[in-house]
Amino acid sequence: MSDTHPFDPLSPKEIIQATKAVKQLFQGQCPNFRVITLKEPPKQEMIAFLERERLGQSHISRPARIAFVQVIVRADHGANELTELLVDINRDAIVHREVLTGKHSFIDSAYMKAVENACISDERVQLEIKKLKLPEGASVVVEPWAYATDGMNDMSERTSMCWFYMRLLDNPDANYYAYPLDLCAEVSEQLTVTKVYHLPSSENERVRQEARPYDPCKVHSSAMSEYHPSIRPSPRTTTKPYQVVQPEGATFTTQGNLVTWEKWTMRVGFNYREGLTLHDIRYDGRSLFYRLSLSEMFVPYGDPRAPFPRKAAFDLGNDGAGINANNLSLGCDCLGLIKYFDAWHNTSSGEPLNMPNVVCCHEQDDGILWKHTNFRTGNAVVVRSRILVLQTIITVSNYEYIFAFHFGQDASIHYEVQATGILSTAPINIGDNVGYGTVVAPGVLAPYHQHLFSLRIDPAIDGVANSLQVEESHPLPFGDPSIHNPFGVGYTTKSSIVDVEGGLDLDFNKNRTFKIINEAKTNPITDTPVGFKLVPCYSQMLLAHPESFHARRSEYTKHAIWVTRYNDDEFFPAGRHTMQSLGGEGISSTIARRRNDPDCDTSVRNEDIVIWHTFGSTHNPRIEDWPVMPSEKMVVGLKPVNFFAGNPSLDVAVSTQVDNKSSLVDTAEPVVCCSE
Amino acid sequence: MSDTHPFDPLSPKEIIQATKAVKQLFQGQCPNFRVITLKEPPKQEMIAFLERERLGQSHISRPARIAFVQVIVRADHGANELTELLVDINRDAIVHREVLTGKHSFIDSAYMKAVENACISDERVQLEIKKLKLPEGASVVVEPWAYATDGMNDMSERTSMCWFYMRLLDNPDANYYAYPLDLCAEVSEQLTVTKVYHLPSSENERVRQEARPYDPCKVHSSAMSEYHPSIRPSPRTTTKPYQVVQPEGATFTTQGNLVTWEKWTMRVGFNYREGLTLHDIRYDGRSLFYRLSLSEMFVPYGDPRAPFPRKAAFDLGNDGAGINANNLSLGCDCLGLIKYFDAWHNTSSGEPLNMPNVVCCHEQDDGILWKHTNFRTGNAVVVRSRILVLQTIITVSNYEYIFAFHFGQDASIHYEVQATGILSTAPINIGDNVGYGTVVAPGVLAPYHQHLFSLRIDPAIDGVANSLQVEESHPLPFGDPSIHNPFGVGYTTKSSIVDVEGGLDLDFNKNRTFKIINEAKTNPITDTPVGFKLVPCYSQMLLAHPESFHARRSEYTKHAIWVTRYNDDEFFPAGRHTMQSLGGEGISSTIARRRNDPDCDTSVRNEDIVIWHTFGSTHNPRIEDWPVMPSEKMVVGLKPVNFFAGNPSLDVAVSTQVDNKSSLVDTAEPVVCCSE
């Protein structure tokens, strides 16, 4: 027990203990354990613990190990009942229990498999498939998705949307997204197919009941639409191997989930929903961030025709970035000397379920860190940038997302998101087009959509009480006798500190810069508060109308920056329960409730605050994204501003040929570096 | 001769020939050869030649080899006369000759050395230095800069601004920027010190004549301000070696200046002013870009107090990115298997001057290119991204800039600029501060400034006649009965094509996307014109007042995007001659002149057009940028949009452990990849 850190995910033993405690509560009821995960200790307790830890006194008292457990049981009235519990593992005690009426758990993949089976074996579905008169050799694939609320139905029970595709090749890895069918079915909670209809296949079409035979002209060459090497022509052979060798081993060390690298220390966490989380991030012993994580992502489609507005995925809240994390050894996702972290999820009966290699940790060379040549002497000093990468990859049906934290020797952090995988497709008549999609193959429409991520930044810049400063660069007035600017070239910075919780926007035209500062700690050289600035990813915010369900359910997508007071239960800016949600539970509703509550403090100045950065991309597909898209990269940065006494990487050793062993391509001779 | 490509820079032999022809013209006059460089052939001729080359007929007729020569001679009237000539090398003939009255050549470093010497040995300067009562062991350093026009003086002759610093350590690589002195001197064309005065050292001070003794409290520990390893404490020893091994050699090949790599072909060029230029960039034989280059950069300072408005550097037009390119072997700037390109400049007497290793060419692994895991089978397909890097680095006094073109297997191009080196400093009284600078050490102010680059994009998307399309993503109206958008989630793209030359701005809030398209070539799958889109670097534009000389001289800094018709002599968006320029010669003046000329065609639709992207950063220094700044990266992208038939990198071989040879960090065991 003493080896477990309060931030460490639950061990298999702890999962078993939690299951046991909960099962006692639901004897005879066969609870479906949706998740058993760590409930991170209250921050106030953790801050005190981290301080004791820092002083070597962590044995004195440790926060309780609490499990958050979500179960579904069939209640007396026959319907499913969602219950969330907190279990104090070591005391074997249920310390909190809450029935969530009207809320849904996240996607149950076993249930979705049952939906798929119920759908494909439904008589009416089989009949409609026959009417399609599909080509010889076709096999139909059903892909159930969660139903994104559109206001057309009662959301109190689950409804699954079944989208239909087909394969023509007899290969389970054939890209069925290349053959979207115009069939659609809805499946009820009870696994009954309640509706079957046909999808619109042109701009003016609407949902219809009448089947149309599948247009054989849609059948196209597999070369256009297949990505799997077993189906593709032989790959190019021009690319020669490129290997990374680290002859003296890795620079980072790990001790359990503690990672130490080049003055950085941090703890790796992982949970079913956020995937990779990072905790207690320090540089040279100084506190920087209490916690960093992806807190939500939303992928709404922009096709207005029913039922496509039901395609809008919360890939964290609905699916779980942890649950859907790839096993990273299977496919050579990382280069060099690699450390993998496993995670533990649970089965529906509450047994521990190992998820191997969900996080990889490795280093990369990132080019030149800094350089100066004294032109007077010709002496050049070059230092190369080594970065530490902590990476995870998720697959959510058709799409993949790569999430990576990069740590620099200059005390910078970058969060890189890459979108790859396969576009979601819909049927379209040959020769047609629509104003909200791209035709990527005969009969295949790739609808416009957005990817909107929320990076949750819980700072602790030299301590927990921080402020958010907004700084802009403005020209000094020209021609104003009271302001000295005789040549019209002067400019200055204007700053204000955000007082209360709210949403804010980016403006590069004013060089608007958001800095998280500690007003109680002043840099003695610059005489300004110590801080870290956000290097944002400039992105279009949600396009859906504010009154739409897309907007009401994804409140965080309204602004690029949010600042809130820290609360132990506020992790998810679209709300705790996103499946078939109705809105009103996200970050702006939370802020509004507090603003309207006279007993609530909404001050975010010199307080324990959280910053949420919304970023992403408006993805209007291009043919180059088909059949699988080259990754599109989105980057967010966090950089020190007047936090240190100078360049934190000043002491990194100069780049030398002895270490680097570069060679000349013509002769394979080693490169001569004058600095040696 | 037949081996020389029309895009190849002049060979030493050609330089000698050009010199000979020009010397004949200036017999007895000892011309100072400022530059002898290739005048690239007229584009119409080159397009025809490239076509013949493509067909294997390049022997038929080749464009003439023309040298652009700039000389300064002492004219009869005694003043310096700047002349520009074009020499047809093979015909030994001067085909153009122009005296540039009122214009200046770029910085002559030999002349600047003479300025430095004249300044430091001037009696009045020596007297003022004595009055400073500098600390024991101090040696004074004079750093002459070009005088950025401020309207205070006649600009027809050169005036150099001499900024003063000191070293306290007896080491030629000591960072004298850590000790800015409040002395300033102006040196005339004739190398006479015309003025000596003292700089303002607080917000309300102005230029003054009276000396003040140097404040000994400004003397600070060298650990705070030194970067050179010979002066720094011992470097950290924690960073373990990281090497790149390419056991089968490089994937790229070079033949002269022709680079071939992964379906890419391009020609490397180089000149004194732009540095690295890329020509005839093709992918899979298809024409993409005729030419890519950095065309100017401007670094204006935002300190309003005289004489600091005279600090505003055109590092291309004034200094020359080619002339100031680093010799890249000296310092381990590149990792892996490297190809270096040399360049040839000339001495003042017209002899060829070798500049070795000014461009390096190498590959890098850039993470995952694309990935998909079929959740139904669990089969993962991962392809890693290999990129080709062509890089050059310049040193301009205190600053360094790294310029790199990155080519991807997905047919993307990225242009990365990194700023590093040492902040320019000015004196400040201890305890003081100003609204337009950061105190980085006792008595050391790092004034606010901007870096504004212009990337010149000369497209040839499937041919020379292109258009610039501006596309935005807009919500469909909600509640408008004539527009089908019942759920309020629909959105569409609206595009317009730019008709005439002009400047445009970025707007991420509308996802405004600039695409260079060929309206005559339609993608048969998407039914849209083939094109490449710009992935811009969102940056604040120039802060200086439009009426200031900074603004008038750097017209391109007003807008993020410019589109012009191609003209053989339009390469420089701030004008051909930037030294002590007066304004009115940049891109917007050129456009205005054409707009007002009824004989001029200003159409940019289906025309030979050029796109210029202004980007950079408003740099308000932080202490972490001192004494040498960790590189700040700015990235611009160019990506195909509906140019190909699908993902261009679909045929890249999957990532395998056999090729990659990754290892587990704990055990050094090879990683097991299921795909093998």
Side-chain angles (χ1 to χ4, degrees):
Chain A
M1 177 167 103
S2 57
D3 284 332
T4 305
H5 193 276
F7 280 137
D8 286 346
L10 299 180
S11 66
K13 188 161 168 230
E14 291 174 317
I15 290 172
I16 290 167
Q17 279 173 279
T19 296
K20 193 164 153 226
V22 171
K23 273 185 169 165
Q24 272 165 6
L25 216 61
F26 293 102
Q27 292 201 33
Q29 281 183 288
C30 277
N32 173 1
F33 285 84
R34 302 287 12 263
V35 68
I36 303 164
T37 193
L38 176 73
K39 165 102 173 101
E40 292 171 27
K43 190 169 182 181
Q44 282 211 324
E45 260 192 78
M46 271 314 293
I47 299 290
F49 171 82
L50 291 172
E51 186 56 19
R52 292 195 302 275
E53 182 181 47
R54 199 179 67 75
L55 298 169
Q57 300 163 0
S58 57
H59 54 281
I60 293 177
S61 119
R62 303 168 75 82
R65 294 286 284 171
I66 310 286
F68 166 83
V69 183
Q70 193 189 73
V71 293
I72 296 178
V73 286
R74 194 161 293 279
D76 297 328
H77 46 77
N80 284 336
E81 190 171 84
L82 181 66
T83 301
E84 291 178 355
L85 309 100
L86 295 177
V87 181
D88 184 325
I89 291 172
N90 296 116
R91 294 197 295 120
D92 242 343
I94 308 290
V95 295
H96 177 82
R97 178 179 181 177
E98 184 183 358
V99 174
L100 285 320
T101 312
K103 303 298 181 199
H104 294 283
S105 181
F106 56 92
I107 283 173
D108 183 332
S109 51
Y111 175 80
M112 287 308 233
K113 193 69 200 156
V115 166
E116 197 181 315
N117 291 338
C119 184
I120 196 70
S121 43
D122 180 83
E123 272 184 22
R124 226 180 338 160
V125 167
Q126 283 298 323
L127 181 62
E128 291 305 317
I129 289 173
K130 274 201 184 63
K131 291 181 190 174
L132 291 177
K133 294 187 165 52
L134 295 175
E136 183 86 30
S139 58
V140 174
V141 177
V142 169
E143 190 125 305
W145 272 40
Y147 177 150
T149 311
D150 63 353
M152 299 294 289
N153 284 297
D154 172 12
M155 292 279 104
S156 58
E157 289 200 325
R158 273 178 302 191
T159 305
S160 301
M161 296 297 297
C162 288
W163 310 99
F164 285 68
Y165 306 86
M166 85 177 164
R167 283 196 201 93
L168 288 176
L169 298 171
D170 183 17
N171 184 318
D173 286 306
N175 178 19
Y176 52 84
Y177 300 108
Y179 291 105
L181 303 177
D182 74 352
L183 200 52
C184 187
E186 294 174 28
V187 177
S188 73
E189 174 72 55
Q190 296 77 22
L191 296 176
T192 308
V193 174
T194 53
K195 290 190 185 137
V196 185
Y197 45 81
H198 293 272
L199 298 170
S201 289
S202 80
E203 189 136 350
N204 295 321
E205 283 187 13
R206 304 289 169 249
V207 162
R208 63 183 199 284
Q209 292 303 317
E210 320 77 52
R212 278 201 301 250
Y214 185 80
D215 181 353
C217 293
K218 290 186 177 182
V219 176
H220 52 272
S221 146
S222 67
M224 286 178 73
S225 288
E226 297 297 337
Y227 71 93
H228 197 274
S230 66
I231 312 171
R232 298 275 322 139
S234 296
R236 70 175 74 175
T237 51
T238 49
T239 326
K240 299 193 177 164
Y242 182 107
Q243 295 153 8
V244 166
V245 173
Q246 297 177 256
E248 294 179 29
T251 306
F252 62 88
T253 57
T254 60
Q255 199 181 347
N257 287 340
L258 176 68
V259 177
T260 303
W261 178 81
E262 296 290 90
K263 303 192 186 179
W264 287 98
T265 58
M266 67 199 73
R267 290 194 169 271
V268 171
F270 198 90
N271 66 63
Y272 77 106
R273 181 167 179 161
E274 295 166 289
L276 171 62
T277 57
L278 296 175
H279 306 259
D280 192 27
I281 300 166
R282 295 174 184 262
Y283 187 94
D284 219 10
R286 286 173 75 184
S287 163
L288 299 187
F289 297 94
Y290 181 75
R291 195 180 193 276
L292 290 179
S293 62
L294 180 70
S295 61
E296 193 54 88
M297 56 177 286
F298 187 47
V299 186
Y301 283 77
D303 189 328
R305 305 165 298 170
F308 298 119
R310 295 179 188 177
K311 285 178 70 174
F314 285 102
D315 287 330
L316 266 63
N318 284 7
D319 295 77
I323 288 170
N324 290 287
N326 293 175
N327 178 339
L328 293 175
S329 70
L330 297 171
C332 295
D333 302 280
C334 320
L335 197 65
L337 211 49
I338 301 163
K339 156 79 182 178
Y340 291 110
F341 290 86
D342 290 1
W344 288 93
H345 185 50
N346 58 277
T347 65
S348 58
S349 51
E351 281 144 16
L353 180 65
N354 183 234
M355 298 189 65
N357 309 326
V358 288
V359 174
C360 77
C361 178
H362 63 280
E363 293 168 82
Q364 281 173 202
D365 177 273
D366 194 44
I368 290 170
L369 180 49
W370 57 261
K371 179 177 188 179
H372 186 63
T373 298
N374 180 346
F375 73 89
R376 296 163 189 274
T377 61
N379 290 337
V381 182
V382 185
V383 165
R384 293 197 71 81
S385 174
R386 184 74 57 79
I387 60 173
L388 182 75
V389 179
L390 283 149
Q391 174 170 289
T392 182
I393 304 178
I394 69 171
T395 300
V396 272
S397 291
N398 49 300
Y399 259 141
E400 261 76 13
Y401 298 93
I402 303 167
F403 302 113
F405 287 95
H406 290 196
F407 292 86
Q409 293 161 311
D410 59 354
S412 67
I413 301 172
H414 286 86
Y415 184 62
E416 291 202 0
V417 177
Q418 286 171 265
T420 180
I422 304 181
L423 296 168
S424 185
T425 57
I428 189 162
N429 295 331
I430 300 253
D432 260 327
N433 212 326
V434 295
Y436 31 78
T438 306
V439 173
V440 293
V444 185
L445 180 74
Y448 290 175
H449 55 282
Q450 296 186 278
H451 305 268
L452 289 155
F453 305 90
S454 173
L455 178 66
R456 182 178 182 278
I457 303 164
D458 186 347
I461 309 293
D462 255 356
V464 155
N466 294 159
S467 305
L468 180 64
Q469 181 183 56
V470 185
E471 178 195 271
E472 298 180 351
S473 296
H474 289 273
L476 290 178
F478 189 29
D480 177 344
S482 67
I483 306 274
H484 182 71
N485 187 23
F487 302 95
V489 305
Y491 80 84
T492 188
T493 40
K494 297 187 179 180
S495 299
S496 62
I497 295 190
V498 182
D499 280 318
V500 294
E501 303 184 305
L504 300 132
D505 301 305
L506 300 174
D507 191 346
F508 65 91
N509 287 312
K510 297 178 181 150
N511 195 37
R512 183 176 296 162
T513 306
F514 293 87
K515 297 186 201 179
I516 308 166
I517 60 173
N518 187 327
E519 294 191 67
K521 303 276 174 85
T522 304
N523 185 300
I525 305 169
T526 65
D527 199 32
T528 54
V530 302
F532 261 69
K533 73 176 176 186
L534 180 75
V535 184
C537 178
Y538 293 98
S539 321
Q540 183 172 39
M541 293 292 102
L542 185 73
L543 278 155
H545 194 276
E547 288 303 303
S548 68
F549 274 99
H550 284 6
R552 287 153 62 179
R553 300 170 68 220
S554 67
E555 291 180 353
Y556 72 91
T557 61
K558 187 169 180 182
H559 292 290
I561 308 285
W562 297 86
V563 56
T564 59
R565 292 169 68 83
Y566 174 88
N567 277 275
D568 280 325
D569 296 306
E570 279 172 24
F571 284 99
F572 309 123
R576 282 165 59 198
H577 306 96
T578 57
M579 278 282 282
Q580 295 186 190
S581 57
L582 302 171
E585 295 173 298
I587 193 167
S588 71
S589 292
T590 302
I591 289 171
R593 267 194 294 278
R594 283 203 276 267
R595 194 190 306 124
N596 294 330
D597 181 348
D599 294 329
C600 258
D601 193 342
T602 61
S603 166
V604 290
R605 183 164 188 174
N606 295 313
E607 297 284 352
D608 186 356
I609 61 176
V610 178
I611 311 299
W612 317 69
H613 176 35
T614 304
F615 67 97
S617 89
T618 294
H619 189 183
N620 304 332
R622 46 172 196 157
I623 193 66
E624 287 83 6
D625 292 335
W626 182 257
V628 57
M629 68 182 270
S631 76
E632 180 184 358
K633 196 181 284 192
M634 292 152 278
V635 185
V636 178
L638 288 160
K639 292 187 167 187
V641 180
N642 304 329
F643 185 81
F644 296 101
N647 175 350
S649 63
L650 192 60
D651 68 329
V652 176
V654 297
S655 178
T656 70
Q657 178 57 2
V658 167
D659 285 331
N660 295 346
K661 298 200 185 326
S662 298
S663 313
L664 289 174
V665 72
D666 298 320
T667 62
E669 275 170 29
V671 165
V672 175
C673 284
C674 190
S675 56
E676 299 160 54
Chain B
M1 174 166 101
S2 59
D3 285 330
T4 305
H5 192 274
F7 282 137
D8 285 347
L10 299 181
S11 65
K13 188 163 168 231
E14 289 174 321
I15 290 172
I16 289 167
Q17 280 173 281
T19 297
K20 191 164 153 228
V22 171
K23 273 185 170 165
Q24 273 165 8
L25 216 61
F26 294 102
Q27 292 200 29
Q29 279 184 288
C30 276
N32 174 0
F33 284 84
R34 302 284 14 261
V35 68
I36 304 164
T37 192
L38 176 74
K39 165 106 175 99
E40 292 170 28
K43 190 170 182 181
Q44 282 212 321
E45 260 192 77
M46 271 314 292
I47 298 291
F49 172 82
L50 291 172
E51 186 56 19
R52 291 197 301 276
E53 182 181 47
R54 199 178 66 77
L55 299 168
Q57 301 163 1
S58 55
H59 53 281
I60 294 178
S61 119
R62 302 168 79 84
R65 294 287 282 171
I66 309 287
F68 167 83
V69 183
Q70 194 191 70
V71 293
I72 297 178
V73 287
R74 193 160 294 279
D76 297 330
H77 47 78
N80 283 336
E81 190 171 84
L82 180 66
T83 301
E84 291 178 357
L85 310 101
L86 295 178
V87 181
D88 183 328
I89 289 172
N90 295 120
R91 295 196 296 120
D92 244 343
I94 308 289
V95 296
H96 176 83
R97 179 180 181 176
E98 186 183 356
V99 174
L100 286 319
T101 313
K103 303 298 180 199
H104 294 282
S105 180
F106 56 93
I107 283 172
D108 183 334
S109 50
Y111 175 82
M112 288 307 232
K113 194 69 200 154
V115 166
E116 195 182 316
N117 292 337
C119 184
I120 197 70
S121 42
D122 179 83
E123 273 183 22
R124 227 180 339 162
V125 166
Q126 283 296 324
L127 180 62
E128 292 303 316
I129 289 173
K130 274 200 185 63
K131 292 182 193 173
L132 293 175
K133 295 185 167 50
L134 297 174
E136 183 86 30
S139 58
V140 174
V141 177
V142 169
E143 190 126 305
W145 273 39
Y147 177 150
T149 311
D150 61 353
M152 299 293 288
N153 284 300
D154 172 12
M155 291 279 105
S156 58
E157 289 199 327
R158 272 179 301 191
T159 305
S160 303
M161 296 296 297
C162 288
W163 311 100
F164 285 69
Y165 307 86
M166 89 177 160
R167 286 196 199 92
L168 288 177
L169 298 170
D170 183 18
N171 183 318
D173 285 307
N175 179 20
Y176 51 85
Y177 300 109
Y179 290 105
L181 303 178
D182 76 351
L183 199 53
C184 186
E186 294 175 28
V187 176
S188 72
E189 173 74 53
Q190 295 77 21
L191 297 175
T192 308
V193 175
T194 54
K195 292 190 183 132
V196 185
Y197 44 80
H198 293 272
L199 300 168
S201 289
S202 81
E203 188 135 351
N204 296 320
E205 281 187 14
R206 305 287 170 248
V207 162
R208 63 181 199 286
Q209 291 304 316
E210 321 76 54
R212 279 201 303 250
Y214 186 80
D215 182 350
C217 293
K218 291 186 175 184
V219 175
H220 53 270
S221 145
S222 67
M224 287 178 75
S225 287
E226 296 298 335
Y227 73 93
H228 197 274
S230 66
I231 313 173
R232 300 273 324 137
S234 297
R236 67 173 78 172
T237 53
T238 49
T239 328
K240 297 191 177 166
Y242 182 107
Q243 297 153 7
V244 166
V245 172
Q246 297 177 253
E248 295 180 25
T251 305
F252 64 87
T253 57
T254 59
Q255 199 180 349
N257 285 341
L258 175 68
V259 177
T260 304
W261 178 81
E262 296 291 90
K263 304 189 184 180
W264 288 98
T265 59
M266 67 199 73
R267 289 197 170 270
V268 170
F270 199 90
N271 66 65
Y272 76 107
R273 183 166 177 161
E274 296 166 287
L276 171 63
T277 57
L278 296 176
H279 306 261
D280 192 28
I281 299 166
R282 296 175 183 261
Y283 187 93
D284 219 10
R286 287 172 75 185
S287 164
L288 301 188
F289 296 94
Y290 180 75
R291 193 179 194 277
L292 291 180
S293 63
L294 180 70
S295 62
E296 192 54 89
M297 56 177 287
F298 188 46
V299 186
Y301 283 77
D303 189 330
R305 307 165 298 170
F308 298 119
R310 295 179 187 177
K311 285 178 71 175
F314 285 101
D315 288 331
L316 265 63
N318 284 8
D319 296 78
I323 288 170
N324 289 288
N326 294 174
N327 178 338
L328 294 175
S329 70
L330 297 171
C332 296
D333 301 279
C334 320
L335 196 63
L337 211 50
I338 300 163
K339 156 80 181 178
Y340 291 112
F341 289 87
D342 290 1
W344 288 92
H345 185 51
N346 58 276
T347 65
S348 58
S349 50
E351 283 143 17
L353 179 65
N354 183 236
M355 299 190 63
N357 309 325
V358 288
V359 174
C360 78
C361 178
H362 63 280
E363 294 168 79
Q364 281 172 203
D365 176 274
D366 194 45
I368 289 169
L369 182 48
W370 55 262
K371 179 176 189 180
H372 185 62
T373 299
N374 180 345
F375 73 89
R376 296 165 188 275
T377 60
N379 290 337
V381 183
V382 185
V383 166
R384 292 197 72 80
S385 173
R386 184 74 57 78
I387 60 173
L388 181 76
V389 180
L390 283 149
Q391 174 170 290
T392 182
I393 303 179
I394 68 171
T395 300
V396 271
S397 289
N398 49 297
Y399 260 140
E400 261 75 13
Y401 298 94
I402 304 169
F403 302 114
F405 288 95
H406 290 195
F407 292 87
Q409 293 161 310
D410 60 352
S412 67
I413 301 173
H414 287 86
Y415 184 62
E416 291 203 0
V417 178
Q418 286 172 264
T420 180
I422 303 182
L423 295 168
S424 185
T425 57
I428 189 162
N429 296 331
I430 301 250
D432 258 325
N433 213 326
V434 296
Y436 32 77
T438 307
V439 174
V440 294
V444 185
L445 179 75
Y448 290 175
H449 56 283
Q450 297 187 277
H451 305 270
L452 289 155
F453 305 89
S454 173
L455 177 67
R456 183 178 181 277
I457 302 165
D458 185 348
I461 309 293
D462 255 355
V464 157
N466 293 160
S467 304
L468 181 64
Q469 182 185 57
V470 186
E471 178 196 271
E472 297 179 353
S473 296
H474 289 272
L476 291 177
F478 188 31
D480 177 342
S482 68
I483 307 274
H484 183 70
N485 187 24
F487 303 95
V489 305
Y491 80 84
T492 190
T493 41
K494 296 186 178 182
S495 299
S496 62
I497 295 189
V498 182
D499 280 318
V500 294
E501 303 184 305
L504 301 132
D505 300 306
L506 301 175
D507 191 346
F508 65 91
N509 288 313
K510 297 177 180 151
N511 194 36
R512 184 176 295 163
T513 305
F514 292 85
K515 297 186 200 179
I516 307 166
I517 61 175
N518 186 327
E519 294 190 68
K521 303 274 175 83
T522 305
N523 186 299
I525 306 169
T526 64
D527 198 32
T528 55
V530 303
F532 261 69
K533 73 176 177 185
L534 180 75
V535 184
C537 177
Y538 293 98
S539 322
Q540 184 172 39
M541 292 293 101
L542 185 73
L543 278 154
H545 195 277
E547 288 303 306
S548 68
F549 274 99
H550 284 6
R552 286 152 63 178
R553 301 171 67 219
S554 69
E555 290 179 354
Y556 73 91
T557 60
K558 187 171 177 178
H559 292 291
I561 307 284
W562 296 86
V563 57
T564 59
R565 292 170 67 84
Y566 173 88
N567 277 278
D568 279 322
D569 294 307
E570 279 171 26
F571 285 99
F572 309 122
R576 282 165 60 198
H577 306 95
T578 55
M579 277 283 282
Q580 298 187 189
S581 58
L582 301 172
E585 295 175 298
I587 192 168
S588 72
S589 293
T590 303
I591 290 172
R593 267 193 293 278
R594 282 203 278 265
R595 193 187 310 121
N596 295 330
D597 180 348
D599 294 330
C600 257
D601 192 343
T602 61
S603 166
V604 291
R605 182 163 187 173
N606 295 313
E607 296 284 353
D608 186 355
I609 60 176
V610 178
I611 312 299
W612 317 69
H613 176 36
T614 305
F615 68 97
S617 88
T618 294
H619 189 183
N620 305 330
R622 45 171 196 157
I623 192 67
E624 289 81 8
D625 292 335
W626 181 258
V628 58
M629 70 183 267
S631 77
E632 181 185 355
K633 196 181 285 192
M634 292 151 275
V635 186
V636 178
L638 287 161
K639 292 187 166 187
V641 180
N642 304 329
F643 185 81
F644 295 100
N647 176 350
S649 64
L650 193 59
D651 68 329
V652 176
V654 296
S655 179
T656 69
Q657 179 58 4
V658 168
D659 285 331
N660 295 347
K661 298 202 186 319
S662 297
S663 314
L664 290 173
V665 72
D666 298 321
T667 62
E669 273 170 30
V671 165
V672 175
C673 283
C674 190
S675 57
E676 299 158 58

